[in-house]
Amino acid sequence: MADLFAPATQAVPFVLPTEDGFDASWNERWSGFDVTVPGGEFFYAEHFFSKAWSDRTFAYLQENARGDWRSIDWRTVPGDALDQIGFTNIRWKQDSLKLYGKSIALPRLTAWYGDPGAAYTYSGIKSEPNPWNDGLLHLKGRIEELVGTAFNSVLLNWYRDGKDSLSWHADDEKELGVDPIIASANFGATRDFQLRHNGDHKQKITIPLKHGTLLVMRGALQRNWKHAVPKRANVNGSRFNLTFRSIMDDRSEPPRHPIKGASARLSCS
C-alpha cells in the first residue's frame, strides 16, 4: 500500500526523449524539476514567481512616459523611435546585424544591464551595461538565492508577439567562460523554448516558458546543445525573457559564491 505521507509524484510538463541520458526528478525544496540530458543539465520551475509578482514585473518592464503600456501596439513602434517613448525603468533598443552588406533589425527588442565593465558581445554586437536599477537587483537576488551563485549582468529580450524570435545558437561567448550558469526568468505570453543536441538534431526538447517560469541552464549544456525561440503565429502578446549571467574578463573568474540555503543540485561546486 502506498505511503499516505509520501510526496505526490510530479510529472514533467514537457516531453523528454526516452533514450539513455535523459532524466527528470522533482525538487521539492524549490518546486521544480532537475533535468539531466546528455552533456548538460538544467532546472525548470514552471511557477517560480507568483502571478502577482509576475504581473508587477510585466508592467514594470513596459512602464513609460508616453502613456498606458496596455494601450500601445508595440509592434508599430519603430526601433529608432524607442528613445521617444521614455521608458521609466528599462532602456529598450532594437539592435541590427550586418548581413551581406545590409543592416537587418533583430526580431526582438533588447537591453543589457550589469556591473561596470561587464560588456558583452554577441553576433557582432557589443553592449556596454546600463547601471542596475532596484527592480532588476531584486529579481537578481531572488534567483541568486536559488542558484547559489552571484550574477553580474542580465540580457533582457522583449518578444513583442509571435513574429519575434531567436535563432539557433549557444551562449558560449568567451566572456561567459567555460560551462556558464545562465538563469532565465520569463514573464508574459507563453513561448516555446527549444533545445537541440549538436551531434544529433533528432534529440530536441520543446519547453514551455510561461508567465513566472524560471529556467536555469548549467553544466556543459552550452557546449553540447543549442537553443532557440521559434516564431509562433498564434501568439499575440508580449513575452519578456531576462537571462542573468556572469561576465568574466582576462583577469578574473566569474563570481560563484554559494549562498546559504541554495539547492544542493543547483549550487556551485
Side-chain angles (χ1 to χ4, degrees), residues 17 22 37 57 97-98 102 121 131-132 179 213 223 228 238 242 254:
F22 293 89
V37 297
T57 303
L97 295 175
K98 290 291 184 181
K102 295 183 179 180
T121 302
W132 292 105
D179 297 341
T213 294
R223 278 192 281 155
S238 287
L242 286 69

Side-chain angles (χ1 to χ4, degrees), residues 161-225:
D161 54 30
K163 296 177 183 177
D164 281 352
S165 61
L166 183 66
S167 59
W168 289 107
H169 73 288
D171 295 328
D172 56 0
E173 293 80 10
K174 65 178 182 179
E175 296 98 324
L176 298 175
V178 179
D179 297 341
I181 299 174
I182 299 176
S184 168
N186 301 272
F187 306 98
T190 299
R191 292 293 296 268
D192 288 337
F193 178 84
Q194 294 187 328
L195 285 164
R196 185 181 71 187
H197 194 275
N198 294 343
D200 183 359
H201 288 181
K202 293 181 180 179
Q203 290 187 347
K204 183 186 291 186
I205 307 170
T206 298
I207 304 170
L209 297 183
K210 301 182 178 182
H211 191 45
T213 294
L214 178 69
L215 177 77
V216 182
M217 298 179 285
R218 56 169 294 146
L221 195 72
Q222 303 302 325
R223 278 192 281 155
N224 297 305
W225 294 72

Side-chain angles (χ1 to χ4, degrees), residues 253-268:
E253 292 294 322
R256 294 172 184 250
H257 309 303
I259 297 173
K260 185 177 181 180
S263 164
R265 285 291 298 274
L266 289 171
S267 63
C268 298

Side-chain angles (χ1 to χ4, degrees), residues 30-256:
W30 295 108
S31 299
F33 289 92
D34 294 314
V35 182
T36 57
V37 297
E41 60 185 279
F42 61 89
F43 171 80
Y44 174 90
E46 187 173 30
H47 302 293
F48 181 78
F49 303 99
S50 70
K51 185 179 184 304
W53 211 92
S54 299
D55 288 349
R56 176 65 194 114
T57 303
F58 187 71
Y60 180 87
L61 296 170
Q62 299 177 76
E63 289 171 349
N64 63 89
R66 177 65 66 87
D68 187 348
W69 58 268
R70 299 174 189 83
S71 62
I72 298 176
D73 182 359
W74 296 112
R75 171 58 61 183
T76 65
V77 179
D80 57 7
L82 290 171
D83 286 342
Q84 301 172 24
I85 297 296
F87 285 101
T88 307
N89 304 305
I90 304 298
R91 297 176 182 174
W92 293 107
K93 61 178 181 175
Q94 186 170 27
D95 285 319
S96 297
L97 295 175
K98 290 291 184 181
L99 191 62
Y100 302 114
K102 295 183 179 180
S103 182
I104 308 297
L106 291 183
R108 59 192 177 279
L109 306 183
T110 64
W112 177 253
Y113 282 75
D115 294 354
Y120 184 50
T121 302
Y122 65 98
S123 299
I125 300 169
K126 184 174 182 178
S127 296
E128 295 292 341
N130 294 300
W132 292 105
N133 59 41
D134 289 343
L136 293 177
L137 285 173
H138 186 62
L139 249 177
K140 185 170 81 82
R142 285 202 61 186
I143 295 171
E144 286 174 339
E145 181 182 358
L146 166 69
V147 178
T149 192
F151 298 108
N152 64 14
S153 51
V154 60
L155 175 64
L156 298 90
N157 284 298
W158 181 352
Y159 301 85
R160 294 159 294 182
D161 54 30
K163 296 177 183 177
D164 281 352
S165 61
L166 183 66
S167 59
W168 289 107
H169 73 288
D171 295 328
D172 56 0
E173 293 80 10
K174 65 178 182 179
E175 296 98 324
L176 298 175
V178 179
D179 297 341
I181 299 174
I182 299 176
S184 168
N186 301 272
F187 306 98
T190 299
R191 292 293 296 268
D192 288 337
F193 178 84
Q194 294 187 328
L195 285 164
R196 185 181 71 187
H197 194 275
N198 294 343
D200 183 359
H201 288 181
K202 293 181 180 179
Q203 290 187 347
K204 183 186 291 186
I205 307 170
T206 298
I207 304 170
L209 297 183
K210 301 182 178 182
H211 191 45
T213 294
L214 178 69
L215 177 77
V216 182
M217 298 179 285
R218 56 169 294 146
L221 195 72
Q222 303 302 325
R223 278 192 281 155
N224 297 305
W225 294 72
K226 287 184 171 57
H227 54 272
V229 179
K231 296 178 185 292
R232 289 292 183 257
N234 61 337
V235 176
N236 296 316
S238 287
R239 175 247 183 174
F240 295 91
N241 167 246
L242 286 69
T243 51
F244 291 85
R245 51 193 75 197
S246 294
I247 298 295
M248 58 183 292
D249 58 31
D250 295 336
R251 298 162 299 170
S252 63
E253 292 294 322
R256 294 172 184 250

